[in-house]
């Protein structure tokens, strides 16, 4: 038997973050199965169809205020005018007659505008004596009226395939009168931690052992994406255990994610274990933190082997895994919000890799925004992720940063 080729060598060319993202995303296909479900159960799911509006929302032109519906031509050019109140219109109780010039209708918010009217005068702007109102010259024809279809017009695409159903989308589906909606089936993601030094919560730590935290931060990040989660625990660095964990994971899930075991030395061992189960590439990525990454296929499941260090797990998940999973889940990917902010710190940096610094966006006394580092940036300092509300991203070709220089910042937006 020949020795396996070394997988990560010092001079193996590193992939840039962008190259790795493109390579990964080019392999992603959305899951094909679609479920039709009751709209409330669809919260957090991705739409499997465009939703065309079959009705106008609102269905009728109506008043945006409590007041008086009039014909805009009755607004006086100067001084004031008097109009006769001939009826009262409540929301859901339309007036079937017509309002003539010189007349008006008492109307409540949401009430359907009667024939002959196009303008509403707020009740606060009116003087009323018995059934006569006096209005001033300061009003504009068409004011305070909501037009039929101004929210959603018949035939319009109200929601797009791949859109995530959030509270506003639930409301939109309901306003269209839809009780059910087609969504993509949830992605199934299995994950486990590898490492002889790892103990689970509830166990006692012996010398040299640590608690497995990656499985919990991964659980958090995956839960936020709305995928189905299969937590497979901690697997020891033993060939047979790793092999059977991968076999079970690939059997039950669309995607398998592990942490640990992809750095120099350990990667050989994992690779050897995986060789007859699929095709996995071990990459060195020009980034900090999170240099090693494994990506490929095990049986029919896609595989991401993330580094072991707790911050590297979160950074690599955020950069490479999150959008890949969203594409597979059938989501429309939105570009991430980026801010350009002055840095309160100087940073040493040589061109040739992308650096992710845990940062804090803050306002000074005048409300001016800037960003600073959380401090220690070691890839084992998970505390820095907890303090941070953004990544400061120093691009591949960037050199050092001076205090006050403008830097690129990606706010966490609740995803981390
Ligand atoms: P590895 O990539 O397996 O060499 O791990 C790199 C570093 O991350 C080591 O210090 C590990 O102890 C640590 N590490 C690996 N997996 C975990 C985990 N699940 N939870 C916390 N730390 C971990
Ligand atoms: Mg390890």
């Amino acid at each position: 038997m020949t020795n396996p080729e070394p997988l990560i060598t010092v001079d193996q060319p590193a992939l840039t973050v962008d190259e790795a993202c493109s390579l990964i995303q080019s392999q992603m296909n959305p899951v094909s199965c679609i479920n039709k479900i009751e709209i409330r159960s669809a919260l957090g799911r991705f739409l499997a169809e465009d939703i065309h509006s079959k009705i106008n929302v609102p269905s009728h032109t109506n008043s945006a205020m409590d007041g008086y519906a009039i014909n805009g031509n009755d607004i006086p050019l100067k001084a004031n005018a008097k109009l006769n109140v001939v009826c009262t219109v409540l929301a859901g109780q339309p007036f079937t007659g017509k309002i003539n010039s010189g007349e008006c209708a008492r109307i409540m918010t949401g009430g359907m505008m009667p024939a002959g009217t196009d303008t509403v005068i707020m009740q606060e702007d009116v003087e009323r004596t018995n059934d006569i109102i006096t209005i001033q010259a300061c009003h504009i024809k068409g004011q305070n009226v909501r037009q039929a279809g101004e929210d959603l017009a018949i035939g319009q695409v109200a929601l797009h395939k791949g859109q995530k159903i959030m509270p506003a989308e639930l409301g939109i589906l309901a306003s269209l009168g839809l009780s059910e909606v087609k969504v993509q089936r949830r992605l199934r993601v299995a994950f486990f931690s590898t490492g002889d030094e790892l103990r689970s919560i509830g166990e006692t730590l012996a010398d040299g052992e640590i608690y497995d935290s990656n499985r919990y931060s991964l659980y958090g990040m995956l839960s936020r994406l709305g995928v189905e989660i299969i937590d497979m625990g901690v697997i020891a660095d033993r060939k047979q255990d790793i092999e059977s964990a991968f076999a079970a994971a690939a059997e039950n899930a669309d995607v398998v994610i592990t942490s640990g075991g992809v750095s120099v030395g350990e990667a050989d061992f994992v690779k050897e274990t995986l060789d007859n189960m699929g095709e996995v590439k071990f990459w060195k990525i020009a980034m900090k933190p999170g240099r090693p990454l494994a990506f490929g296929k095990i049986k029919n499941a896609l595989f991401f082997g993330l580094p072991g260090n707790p911050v590297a797990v979160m950074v690599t998940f955020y950069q490479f895994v999150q959008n890949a999973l969203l594409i597979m889940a059938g989501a429309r990917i939105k570009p991430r919000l980026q801010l350009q902010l002055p840095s309160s710190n100087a940073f040493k940096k040589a061109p040739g890799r992308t650096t992710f610094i845990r940062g804090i966006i803050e306002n000074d006394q005048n409300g001016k925004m800037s960003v600073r580092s959380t401090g220690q940036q070691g890839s084992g300092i998970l505390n820095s992720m907890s303090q941070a509300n953004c990544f400061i991203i120093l691009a591949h070709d960037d050199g050092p940063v001076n205090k006050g220089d403008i830097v690129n910042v990606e706010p966490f937006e609740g995803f981390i």
Side-chain angles (χ1 to χ4, degrees):
M1 206 176 93
T2 54
N3 281 333
E5 249 181 272
L7 294 154
I8 300 175
T9 60
V10 177
D11 29 77
Q12 178 191 338
L15 290 173
T16 65
V17 169
D18 288 347
E19 284 166 346
C21 272
S22 312
L23 276 168
I24 290 169
Q25 290 186 15
S26 69
Q27 311 266 326
M28 298 295 139
N29 293 308
V31 289
S32 50
C33 181
I34 287 168
N35 308 134
K36 192 165 190 186
I37 56 177
E38 196 269 326
I39 58 170
R40 273 175 298 201
S41 317
L43 185 65
R45 305 283 294 271
F46 298 104
L47 270 175
E49 57 180 351
D50 282 345
I51 303 286
H52 293 267
S53 179
K54 293 210 173 70
I55 56 171
N56 273 328
V57 181
S59 59
H60 53 276
T61 299
N62 68 91
S63 175
M65 296 283 177
D66 291 339
Y68 294 85
I70 67 164
N71 183 324
N73 296 333
D74 282 344
I75 299 170
L77 292 176
K78 52 183 195 289
N80 56 43
K82 294 195 185 312
L83 301 171
N84 218 352
V85 184
V86 295
C87 63
T88 297
V89 181
L90 305 177
Q93 291 179 26
F95 173 65
T96 46
K98 181 171 184 283
I99 303 294
N100 299 308
S101 182
E103 296 176 344
C104 69
R106 171 81 173 122
I107 196 163
M108 299 303 162
T109 304
M112 184 168 153
M113 295 292 285
T117 67
D118 58 9
T119 302
V120 171
I121 313 289
M122 274 168 73
Q123 62 191 22
E124 292 85 344
D125 293 343
V126 162
E127 265 175 50
R128 179 167 178 168
T129 313
N130 298 322
D131 281 344
I132 304 288
I133 60 165
T134 306
I135 62 170
Q136 305 301 317
C138 55
H139 300 289
I140 298 163
K141 186 177 164 75
Q143 73 181 21
N144 298 329
V145 172
R146 302 189 285 219
Q147 300 299 326
E150 75 170 23
D151 184 0
L152 302 166
I154 285 187
Q156 175 189 339
V157 178
L159 297 172
H160 290 270
K161 185 175 171 179
Q163 209 167 332
K164 189 172 187 172
I165 301 180
M166 300 293 274
E169 285 71 25
L170 274 188
I172 287 175
L173 291 167
S175 70
L176 293 172
L178 298 172
S179 59
E180 290 187 318
V181 70
K182 287 184 187 159
V183 293
Q184 305 279 6
R185 93 154 158 77
R186 286 169 68 183
L187 208 60
R188 274 188 289 274
V189 181
F191 62 104
F192 56 88
S193 299
T194 67
D196 285 338
E197 76 282 25
L198 302 178
R199 287 288 154 267
S200 291
I201 298 170
E203 296 178 339
T204 316
L205 295 184
D207 273 356
E209 294 181 341
I210 54 170
Y211 286 116
D212 169 14
S213 61
N214 290 344
R215 227 159 19 97
Y216 289 82
S217 43
L218 270 174
Y219 170 89
M221 293 187 290
L222 288 168
S223 298
R224 285 247 164 111
L225 296 184
V227 300
E228 252 174 56
I229 289 168
I230 308 170
D231 181 345
M232 298 183 59
V234 177
I235 311 294
D237 293 323
R238 260 197 311 274
K239 193 170 174 184
Q240 187 142 34
D241 292 0
I242 295 206
E243 212 170 77
S244 47
F246 273 118
E251 181 80 12
N252 295 314
D254 303 300
V255 181
V256 180
I257 301 177
T258 63
S259 71
V262 291
S263 46
V264 184
E266 281 193 315
D268 295 347
F269 171 71
V270 177
K271 164 93 171 144
E272 215 182 301
T273 316
L274 290 178
D275 255 353
N276 53 0
M277 300 179 86
E279 200 195 324
V280 175
K281 298 240 173 345
F282 286 73
W283 293 338
K284 191 168 80 176
I285 301 186
M287 68 188 287
K288 189 185 169 191
R291 220 152 81 106
L293 183 78
F295 172 69
K297 259 194 134 174
I298 300 167
K299 303 212 164 111
N300 288 323
L302 279 168
F303 168 63
F304 293 92
L306 307 184
N309 278 306
V311 177
V313 167
M314 296 194 74
V315 173
T316 49
F317 183 94
Y318 192 55
Q319 289 307 311
F320 305 116
V321 185
Q322 181 162 292
N323 274 351
L325 295 186
L326 288 173
I327 292 170
M328 282 186 86
R332 270 158 82 98
I333 304 289
K334 286 189 277 189
R336 290 195 181 136
L337 182 67
Q338 286 214 344
L339 307 173
Q340 267 82 49
L341 295 177
S343 171
S344 311
N345 305 99
F347 297 110
K348 286 188 192 142
K349 158 109 176 37
R353 72 176 172 201
T354 309
T355 303
F356 296 85
I357 296 159
R358 276 75 77 200
I360 300 173
I361 302 171
E362 57 192 4
N363 295 113
D364 67 15
Q365 308 93 304
N366 304 317
K368 199 165 163 280
M369 226 185 244
S370 63
V371 67
R372 67 178 167 90
S373 159
T374 56
Q376 266 197 32
Q377 294 289 316
S379 61
I381 314 273
L382 192 53
N383 194 13
S384 64
M385 284 299 299
S386 160
Q387 289 173 45
N389 60 13
C390 68
F391 286 128
I392 301 167
I393 304 181
L394 308 184
H396 188 87
D397 296 326
D398 283 357
V401 173
N402 296 313
K403 193 174 166 183
D405 283 358
I406 300 296
V407 287
N408 256 332
V409 170
E410 257 183 28
F412 284 172
E413 284 188 281
F415 264 122
I416 275 195

